[in-house]
Amino acid sequence: MEETMLAWARQVAENELSEVLPRLWAHSQGVAARAAGLGPALAGNAELLFSAAVLHDVGYAPRLAETGFHPLDGARFLRDEHGADERLVRLVANHSFALLEAEERGLMEVLEREFPLLDEALLVDALVYCDMTTTPDGKVTSTDARLAEIASRYESGSPVGRFIRRASPDILAAVSRVEAALEAQPR
């Protein structure tokens, strides 16, 4: 891949989402914009975070939906069709505590086997932060408002409804860790 990962990732996400899921494309751009502001705190992983941010929901594209679980479908697409960087693929597969939702869907073992969670806590948390502080329309929001918005779209007994209730404490903790890391950065 001759172009930068960042330019490639943006193009892939735009190709897959902009026409068929324009609101999701707006969200992905907003998440990427949040990632762009975290660069100094990530010690060399800024391009990787931005790329994962813009691609994190690519698995929602209808042509890619094989399992119906977008983190897994997106990661498989990036790995199988693009030969994408392994760390990028694993971030997309595991974004925003996807393992908990995978468990609700009976896909946890598959996700863990194919795409193990990265052992880079701040990077993983940073993607959670970017996703969970961005509205579906790509605007900045509070984590509490984002969690409430997600919960309002799904019945409490649905896999996503159960997942978001289970994951909320972990999501809030991840966002707090990123905010603390940002506060610790020299100004």
Side-chain angles (χ1 to χ4, degrees):
M1 184 178 339
E2 291 185 24
E3 59 191 327
T4 66
M5 183 190 305
L6 184 133
W8 167 82
R10 183 171 171 71
Q11 190 61 57
V12 168
E14 183 174 7
N15 289 347
E16 296 299 333
L17 299 174
S18 66
E19 289 186 27
V20 294
L21 297 167
R23 188 172 188 218
L24 191 60
W25 173 231
H27 170 70
S28 296
Q29 291 177 90
V31 173
R34 297 291 282 162
L38 299 182
L42 290 175
N45 286 319
E47 185 177 35
L48 177 60
L49 176 63
F50 181 93
S51 299
V54 78
L55 287 165
H56 79 285
D57 280 346
V58 73
Y60 276 120
R63 79 173 195 89
L64 306 180
E66 291 183 19
T67 67
F69 183 46
H70 77 277
L72 182 58
D73 293 337
R76 284 177 170 171
F77 161 72
L78 294 170
R79 178 193 64 198
D80 299 344
E81 287 192 32
H82 290 281
D85 177 90
E86 180 187 357
R87 291 169 67 217
L88 171 66
V89 172
R90 288 168 62 187
L91 279 169
V92 169
N94 288 287
H95 76 272
S96 299
F97 296 95
L99 272 175
L100 293 176
E101 186 176 344
E103 184 176 25
E104 294 290 339
R105 295 173 176 272
L107 293 168
M108 188 173 87
E109 290 178 13
V110 172
L111 188 62
E112 285 181 314
R113 182 179 61 250
E114 287 188 47
F115 306 105
L117 184 64
L118 283 179
D119 188 23
E120 299 177 63
L122 183 58
L123 183 58
V124 171
D125 284 351
L127 186 54
V128 173
Y129 170 88
C130 296
D131 187 20
M132 292 297 156
T133 60
T134 306
T135 69
D137 296 316
K139 308 286 189 238
V140 174
T141 190
S142 71
T143 309
D144 288 333
R146 176 76 164 123
L147 291 169
E149 179 276 319
I150 294 168
S152 74
R153 285 189 279 138
Y154 298 92
E155 294 197 21
S156 62
S158 71
V160 177
R162 290 189 308 268
F163 152 73
I164 205 63
R165 280 194 319 277
R166 284 181 60 202
S168 288
D170 294 324
I171 290 167
L172 290 166
V175 168
S176 292
R177 288 188 296 268
V178 171
E179 289 171 342
L182 290 171
E183 284 293 317
Q185 290 298 305
R187 299 194 187 267

